[in-house]
Amino acid sequence: MEKLVIKGPTPLRGEVSISGAKNAAVAILPATLLINGICTIENLPNVSDVKQFCEILKFFGAKITWNNEHEITIDTRNISKTSELEITRTFRASYYLIGALLGRCGKVQVGLPGGCKIGARPIDLHIKGFEALGASVEVSQGNISARAKKLEGTSIYLDIASVGATINIMLASVLAEGTTIIDNAAKEPHIVDVANFLNTMGADIRGAGTDVIKINGVKELKREGTYSIVPDQIEAGTFMLAAVASRGDLLIKNCITKHLESIIAKVVEIGGIVESNGDKLRVYCKKRPNRANIKTLPYPGFPTDLQAQMGVVLSIAKGTSIINESIFESRFQYTEELNKMGAKITSQGKSAVFDGVEELIAAPVCVPDLRAGAALIIAGTIAKGTTEIYHLEHIDRGYEHIEEKFKKIGANIERIKI
Ligand code: EPZ
């Protein structure tokens, strides 16, 4: 067990470099199972979700060499297994194994996915897609199995623009016979990254990043290739909001401004200043942020994965703000932790009201989920006194070297073994 100990308040100043996108990596890694060959993946974030997925892939027969902290060469010529129930259960993104192994082997059995407790998170749309492609799917005793003699391209309409379902159906369609159309597809940057990776390896996917994606099935993918993971939009947004909350001045390097338009608009609305220059963004704020109303939406709207980080900023903003979380049913657990630090937040279902206070006061807090963990680090940085943060395993799933990155920009932060 470990805890983070943060002494505040300190303004965050300096340069921070953004790592590869966790949510792209946990989709591209299983996507390699569609390749009867060897490929190299660069710019992987050094986070536990990536390391755990590499262990899972080895279980199915992949051979993985770590060339350095951020790069693997993965040999997926001999996929010997299609069923694993234990380790896949603890891990949200393991559902991508279904699309990938259905596409590669025509059968798969995994534990139903775990992941952050932010809502029910069903996978009915994934299953609807697999069945539309001709697979038979069975869910029983907490496991899901699917099989298909042949996958045939078809048109699939997604009732919700689900990121996971969009990617999973894409994976199952790449080697199917004929053309698959995904309508009302999600448009997140990491969906485009998965499509770009697969196209680099010889797939024929068009329209990723729009709400209609067309996949022309191919016989097989190339037997070798190299791909570099896109920079993490959510990590970049996390540091943008940290700069505003701490009234600091950060140069955020290795980010794609295009992916951050909704966050830039909101940072400017609450009084931050944003200067973009190529793959660098300077974000600073010299005064207490203004109030604002936020509604989380599928991309290109304001991301649900930045909702908690924005909540920290609004907890100390001038005036009263409202956040409407339209994607997940219960993504406000972090507000109880912020209220322990003197925030005045009332959450009810999918909305929360923030009565801005002058400052937060340090307190011991517990991380309920990955993005709330990043939010609590920002809160500890701006709170008066010494904050202790417990349950770091959630944060380590999706943020690389988080305390080093915060220390480098001025935070007084230590990771302590308990
Ligand atoms: C992905 O989760 C991300 N996880 C989440 O990031 C992110 O918050 C979410 O997309 C939205 O952007 C990964 O990529 C591993 P969805 P996912 O399917 O795929 C409902 C993080 O912090 N839904 O777009 O599970 C669902 O319940 C994590 O990095 C169905 O009803 O999200 C939710 O209300 C947290 N049926 C909404 O759609 C389905 O079959 C959006 O879910 C699928 C989803």
Side-chain angles (χ1 to χ4, degrees):
M1 269 280 268
E2 297 172 311
K3 64 181 176 182
L4 287 175
V5 177
I6 308 175
K7 289 189 177 62
T10 40
L12 296 171
R13 292 202 182 100
E15 299 187 0
V16 61
S17 187
I18 300 304
S19 305
K22 183 262 290 183
N23 288 342
V26 296
I28 287 172
L29 286 170
T32 61
L33 291 170
L34 289 163
I35 295 159
N36 176 12
I38 299 174
C39 64
T40 295
I41 312 289
E42 299 169 345
N43 199 35
L44 280 166
N46 180 5
V47 297
S48 59
D49 270 12
V50 164
K51 289 182 211 142
Q52 180 166 1
F53 223 136
C54 288
E55 290 313 302
I56 291 176
L57 292 174
K58 283 189 214 164
F59 197 91
F60 286 95
K63 288 190 183 53
I64 293 179
T65 314
W66 283 90
N67 305 325
N68 62 52
E69 183 190 15
H70 298 120
E71 183 185 303
I72 63 168
T73 295
I74 178 166
D75 179 347
T76 45
R77 287 175 293 182
N78 303 307
I79 298 308
S80 50
K81 288 174 75 76
T82 60
S83 165
E84 202 294 317
L85 304 179
E86 281 318 302
I87 34 179
T88 52
R89 199 178 308 286
T90 60
F91 189 59
R92 177 89 197 145
S94 55
Y95 53 38
Y96 292 135
L97 289 164
I98 308 168
L101 286 169
L102 252 188
R104 171 74 183 264
C105 312
K107 63 179 175 155
V108 56
Q109 186 185 32
V110 292
L112 276 173
C116 290
K117 300 273 174 287
I118 52 179
R121 306 186 81 178
I123 58 168
D124 55 308
L125 296 175
H126 302 233
I127 294 169
K128 172 184 168 183
F130 299 142
E131 288 175 338
L133 288 165
S136 60
V137 182
E138 195 199 339
V139 178
S140 70
Q141 280 122 10
N143 302 320
I144 178 166
S145 56
R147 58 180 57 241
K149 284 196 185 55
K150 191 170 60 159
L151 291 169
E152 283 188 75
T154 183
S155 285
I156 298 158
Y157 176 81
L158 291 180
D159 308 329
I160 298 172
S162 155
V163 169
T166 300
I167 291 175
N168 230 343
I169 295 165
M170 196 195 295
L171 296 179
S173 306
V174 161
L175 299 174
E177 241 174 62
T179 297
T180 298
I181 306 272
I182 306 174
D183 205 345
N184 193 30
K187 299 181 268 197
E188 274 68 5
H190 39 286
I191 290 170
V192 177
D193 211 37
V194 176
N196 289 345
F197 164 68
L198 289 166
N199 284 340
T200 303
M201 300 305 295
D204 182 357
I205 302 171
R206 302 163 196 219
T210 75
D211 44 17
V212 180
I213 300 178
K214 183 174 174 183
I215 303 110
N216 296 312
V218 294
K219 272 260 165 293
E220 71 165 342
L221 295 179
K222 286 181 191 159
R223 292 175 180 256
E224 63 175 339
T226 296
Y227 190 76
S228 183
I229 302 275
V230 72
D232 194 319
Q233 162 212 24
I234 302 304
E235 186 189 19
T238 300
F239 282 104
M240 289 172 70
L241 293 166
V244 174
S246 66
R247 298 187 208 179
D249 187 339
L250 289 180
L251 183 66
I252 300 165
K253 301 190 296 182
N254 188 31
C255 58
I256 298 176
T257 310
K258 172 84 186 118
H259 294 163
L260 298 162
E261 285 173 350
S262 63
I263 304 112
I264 292 169
K266 280 299 174 186
V267 162
V268 170
E269 182 185 330
I270 59 179
I273 299 166
V274 181
E275 294 165 359
S276 82
N277 170 15
D279 67 348
K280 297 181 185 62
L281 265 189
R282 182 187 172 205
V283 181
Y284 59 98
C285 186
K286 298 292 176 226
K287 56 184 180 40
R288 189 177 171 193
N290 308 319
R291 61 158 300 286
N293 289 339
I294 304 287
K295 181 177 172 68
T296 63
L297 287 167
Y299 188 85
F302 190 89
T304 176
D305 290 349
L306 287 172
Q307 189 256 100
Q309 300 89 316
M310 176 58 90
V312 177
V313 180
L314 299 181
S315 71
I316 46 114
K318 280 192 301 256
T320 300
S321 306
I322 298 175
I323 294 184
N324 180 311
E325 168 55 61
S326 77
I327 308 290
F328 289 108
E329 306 89 290
S330 59
R331 201 166 195 176
F332 287 117
Q333 291 106 311
Y334 71 94
T335 60
E336 291 158 39
E337 302 305 308
L338 289 184
N339 286 341
K340 289 180 195 168
M341 300 175 78
K344 286 192 174 52
I345 309 166
T346 320
S347 74
Q348 178 77 34
K350 288 195 153 189
S351 293
V353 178
F354 295 72
D355 287 326
V357 294
E358 288 276 340
E359 65 178 352
L360 297 179
I361 310 297
V365 290
C366 290
V367 175
D369 60 72
L370 164 58
R371 303 302 173 183
L376 291 172
I377 292 176
I378 297 172
T381 305
I382 66 173
K384 198 161 94 183
T386 303
T387 296
E388 297 187 336
I389 301 179
Y390 296 88
H391 292 297
L392 306 185
E393 64 278 8
H394 295 291
I395 305 176
D396 294 336
R397 285 187 41 222
Y399 286 94
E400 176 180 310
H401 303 319
I402 188 83
E403 68 270 21
E404 286 92 336
K405 289 193 176 185
F406 269 87
K407 202 178 283 185
K408 200 160 157 276
I409 53 179
N412 183 336
I413 181 171
E414 292 301 330
R415 182 186 286 249
I416 305 214
K417 277 208 181 328
I418 306 172

